[in-house]
Amino acid sequence: MNRRDALKKSALALGAAAGAPTLLSLLQACAKTDRLTWTPVFLSEDQARFISSFVDFLLPKTETPGGLDVKADVFIDLMYAKTYDEAGQKQVVADIEKFNADCKEKYGNVFAELSEEDKTACFKGHEANSPKFPKTVWGGAVGPREPVGFYRGLKSTVLWAYFSSEEIGKNVLSYDPIPGDYLGCIPLSDVGNIWSL
């Protein structure tokens, strides 16, 4: 399984769990934003550059659109502006500054300015040391839920934004707007046992 397949599978599970209508409407608004004239709503230019670099490194353009092509970075800026309270916004700014300070200490520059090798090493370090999401069944966590930290939380948000975008949903993933008949009133014996998946 290659990296893109692994990301697709983890994002599909995440997308099933998190389908807030507010976030979807923000994502649709991002699709209408002109990339060349986009000015961050909440983030400073340096913070927006960090988010864009993070998105582009995680989901670069290949034979499929990249994270920047579907404006995942624009969506994240709007999400911070419209859905985070003041304390949450301050925490995001502090987390970005800490992430960049760690990059400067370890690699000599902020994340957006690092070479591909240093970005890879940075991601590997965070991947190894960041708390993990609990295992899930049908989108529900199994076991206690612990904070996953900035790196994994941002990564999760980027994947959610990417796979929830109209471009990816309609043109990359399998899309069936009417998945089949809904049979809401049938005998339980026709269903069989309880389904786990």
Side-chain angles (χ1 to χ4, degrees), residues 23-103:
L23 295 178
L24 287 173
S25 66
L26 287 176
L27 192 60
Q28 289 170 346
C30 295
K32 297 174 184 166
T33 304
D34 183 349
R35 184 82 173 158
L36 298 174
T37 60
W38 173 64
T39 302
V41 174
F42 166 70
L43 298 169
S44 70
E45 286 190 25
D46 287 341
Q47 294 159 357
R49 258 192 295 280
F50 165 80
I51 295 293
S52 293
S53 294
F54 191 99
V55 167
D56 192 39
F57 187 74
L58 181 63
L59 295 169
K61 183 173 185 168
T62 58
E63 65 277 1
T64 58
L68 296 182
D69 295 322
V70 299
K71 300 179 176 65
D73 52 345
V74 178
F75 164 76
I76 290 169
D77 175 56
L78 271 177
M79 184 185 75
Y80 290 153
K82 303 285 184 184
T83 66
Y84 278 40
D85 62 13
E86 186 176 335
Q89 291 175 340
K90 284 181 180 176
Q91 186 62 52
V92 164
V93 169
D95 287 339
I96 291 172
E97 288 174 1
K98 182 172 183 337
F99 197 100
N100 272 331
D102 290 346
C103 286

Side-chain angles (χ1 to χ4, degrees), residues 13-14 16-17 133-143 145 194-197:
L14 177 66
F133 283 108
K135 295 184 184 217
T136 61
V137 175
W138 286 97
V142 177
R145 300 190 80 170
I194 297 172
W195 292 35
S196 62
L197 291 174

Side-chain angles (χ1 to χ4, degrees), residues 114-136:
L114 296 181
S115 66
E116 292 295 306
E117 289 105 14
D118 286 343
K119 285 180 180 175
T120 300
C122 176
F123 263 48
K124 283 183 177 178
H126 282 284
E127 197 63 41
N129 299 318
S130 295
K132 308 265 188 293
F133 283 108
K135 295 184 184 217
T136 61

